[in-house]
Amino acid sequence: MENKIATPSGTKKILREYNLNLKKSLGQNFLIDSNIIDIITAASAIEGDEFVIEIGPGIGSLTQAVLEKLDEGKLLAVEKDAEMVRVLENIFAGEEKLTLLNQDALKIDWNEIAAEYNTENRKIKLIANLPYYVTTPIIMGVLESELELEQMVFMVQKEVGERICAGPETKKFGSLSVAVQYHMQPEIVHQVPSSVFIPQPDVDSVIVSLSPYEQNIYQEEVISKKFFFQIVKSIFQQRRKTLRNSLSKSAVINLDRDLVTQALEDEGIGIKKRGEKLSISEMISISNRIYKMRKEN
């Protein structure tokens, strides 16, 4: 395809040609700046022979660019809106590298999808321009599936991207930061103004890249993943309280105050310290110690 979709004229032409009415309920905002598309594909480091999953292709702005990068690789585009799927089928008719899947990304078993469509066991990369209202559940759904990803690059609301990448002792560090960083290493690679979308959203966006750790010490050290995330949720549900109070008065998990006090002392962490000041490794150490102490009692 010679004409770029990710331009004002290219996008408007498709919207007009297919008489498309954008669905606000699905968070449909289309990129009209090919430079942003180039930044996303560059961050994805597509080499040409991967299995790429795209979530929410819309009218194919990013789809078009990814297909141009793929030589022997395959692209699976997952789109919830059946009307958009019909448009994509027309725009990319005859494109053998592309498979369109009309499904809700929130309900997909990603391991089953990989097994069904990535039959040649290619490296897997995932890209997405995510609707703001489902950003977190989609990201966490992919990460918790433990799909073996070489790279994950997505565009999200700026505030969400900053929360994902935030570190300890910052206001934006929270449960989402820990949950994402437990699985992969995030980085904001570019700031994106609202002006590059049709229609324009009310907020700016960022492009976030997630890369696998060379060695994921977090997952290696955690005794119980379920218990660890109960501890994390307890810490940030009452982030202004001291660590002892937020854990011993948690609505998420029932912990004895004396046990919490002893665990914190054993870890060399002051009982008046707030949980938001802890590193992920410190949270894991506390979680492991409390978990062991509960088992012994």
Side-chain angles (χ1 to χ4, degrees), residues 11 15 21-33 37 55-62 79 84 128-133 155 193-203 205:
T11 296
L15 295 179
N21 295 311
L22 303 188
K23 299 178 179 68
K24 189 174 182 180
S25 63
L26 295 180
Q28 291 177 339
N29 303 90
F30 300 138
L31 268 170
I32 55 172
D33 189 330
I37 296 288
I55 299 175
I59 59 173
S61 305
L62 185 53
E79 174 57 57
M84 290 298 170
N129 176 14
L130 294 174
Y132 293 156
Y133 74 106
M155 181 142 50
S194 60
S195 58
V196 302
F197 293 95
I198 290 181
Q200 287 191 24
D202 297 328
V203 295
S205 305

Side-chain angles (χ1 to χ4, degrees), residues 12-20:
K12 289 175 182 177
K13 180 176 182 292
I14 290 174
L15 295 179
R16 186 172 57 250
E17 182 177 343
Y18 292 95
N19 193 28
L20 291 173

Side-chain angles (χ1 to χ4, degrees), residues 4-8 31-44 61-62 64-65 68-69 153 155 189-193 195-197 207:
K4 292 284 186 184
I5 298 173
T7 63
L31 268 170
I32 55 172
D33 189 330
S34 59
N35 293 319
I36 301 298
I37 296 288
D38 290 342
I39 291 169
I40 295 173
T41 56
S44 305
S61 305
L62 185 53
Q64 182 183 44
E68 290 173 355
K69 296 280 185 182
V153 179
M155 181 142 50
V189 297
H190 196 75
Q191 307 273 346
V192 183
S195 58
V196 302
F197 293 95
I207 299 168

Side-chain angles (χ1 to χ4, degrees), residues 140 163 172-182 229 231-237 239 283:
M140 293 313 304
R163 284 168 51 206
K172 294 184 178 178
F173 184 60
S175 296
L176 179 60
S177 319
V178 176
V180 173
Q181 292 172 36
Y182 174 83
F229 279 107
I231 292 291
V232 171
K233 190 172 182 180
S234 300
I235 287 172
F236 290 108
Q237 273 192 338
R239 61 186 300 143
M283 292 181 193

Side-chain angles (χ1 to χ4, degrees), residues 15-296:
L15 295 179
R16 186 172 57 250
E17 182 177 343
Y18 292 95
N19 193 28
L20 291 173
N21 295 311
L22 303 188
K23 299 178 179 68
K24 189 174 182 180
S25 63
L26 295 180
Q28 291 177 339
N29 303 90
F30 300 138
L31 268 170
I32 55 172
D33 189 330
S34 59
N35 293 319
I36 301 298
I37 296 288
D38 290 342
I39 291 169
I40 295 173
T41 56
S44 305
I46 296 172
E47 297 171 351
D49 60 351
E50 299 96 331
F51 177 72
V52 181
I53 300 172
E54 181 185 6
I55 299 175
I59 59 173
S61 305
L62 185 53
T63 311
Q64 182 183 44
V66 173
L67 288 171
E68 290 173 355
K69 296 280 185 182
L70 291 175
D71 298 319
E72 302 298 323
K74 301 291 183 182
L75 172 60
L76 176 69
V78 180
E79 174 57 57
K80 180 179 180 179
D81 187 350
E83 184 179 21
M84 290 298 170
V85 171
R86 288 192 292 271
V87 171
L88 291 166
E89 287 173 342
N90 278 297
I91 292 175
F92 298 103
E95 178 54 76
E96 295 181 355
K97 292 178 289 188
L98 174 65
T99 300
L100 293 167
L101 192 60
N102 183 199
Q103 286 193 30
D104 185 347
L106 289 172
K107 300 176 181 178
I108 282 180
D109 183 318
W110 293 106
N111 290 299
E112 283 186 7
I113 289 295
E116 181 176 354
Y117 292 98
N118 187 24
T119 55
E120 296 172 300
N121 200 28
R122 300 173 185 272
K123 294 179 181 179
I124 303 175
K125 293 182 177 178
L126 187 145
I127 58 173
N129 176 14
L130 294 174
Y132 293 156
Y133 74 106
V134 288
T135 292
T136 299
I138 286 180
I139 292 172
M140 293 313 304
V142 173
L143 293 177
E144 289 171 359
S145 74
E146 298 185 355
L147 189 67
E148 289 190 19
L149 292 170
E150 288 285 321
Q151 197 76 25
M152 184 173 177
V153 179
F154 48 84
M155 181 142 50
V156 295
Q157 184 178 343
K158 182 180 179 182
E159 181 184 350
V160 175
E162 290 174 343
R163 284 168 51 206
I164 286 172
C165 299
E169 300 196 49
T170 62
K171 290 182 179 180
K172 294 184 178 178
F173 184 60
S175 296
L176 179 60
S177 319
V178 176
V180 173
Q181 292 172 36
Y182 174 83
H183 293 279
M184 298 183 81
Q185 188 169 5
E187 177 189 7
I188 291 176
V189 297
H190 196 75
Q191 307 273 346
V192 183
S194 60
S195 58
V196 302
F197 293 95
I198 290 181
Q200 287 191 24
D202 297 328
V203 295
D204 290 340
S205 305
V206 290
I207 299 168
V208 177
S209 172
L210 298 185
S211 305
Y213 294 103
E214 288 187 14
Q215 180 183 8
N216 193 326
I217 59 171
Y218 299 145
Q219 294 186 15
E220 290 177 359
E221 291 176 356
V222 166
I223 295 175
S224 168
K225 179 180 175 182
K226 180 181 178 181
F227 187 78
F228 169 65
F229 279 107
Q230 288 176 326
I231 292 291
V232 171
K233 190 172 182 180
S234 300
I235 287 172
F236 290 108
Q237 273 192 338
Q238 304 181 79
R239 61 186 300 143
R240 302 307 300 170
K241 289 189 175 182
T242 64
L243 191 56
R244 180 171 65 175
N245 285 341
S246 63
L247 291 177
S248 62
K249 297 179 180 179
S250 170
V252 179
I253 186 170
N254 183 26
L255 295 175
D256 178 78
R257 186 177 178 86
D258 290 338
L259 183 147
V260 170
T261 301
Q262 184 62 54
L264 294 176
E265 289 177 351
D266 290 348
E267 287 296 315
I269 295 174
I271 59 174
K272 293 186 177 181
K273 189 170 185 176
R274 290 202 297 269
E276 63 186 10
K277 294 186 178 295
L278 298 175
S279 67
I280 297 176
S281 291
E282 288 175 316
M283 292 181 193
I284 290 172
S285 295
I286 291 170
S287 168
N288 286 347
R289 185 170 292 277
I290 294 175
Y291 184 82
K292 289 176 182 177
M293 292 172 69
R294 291 181 86 202
K295 286 285 187 182
E296 292 168 359

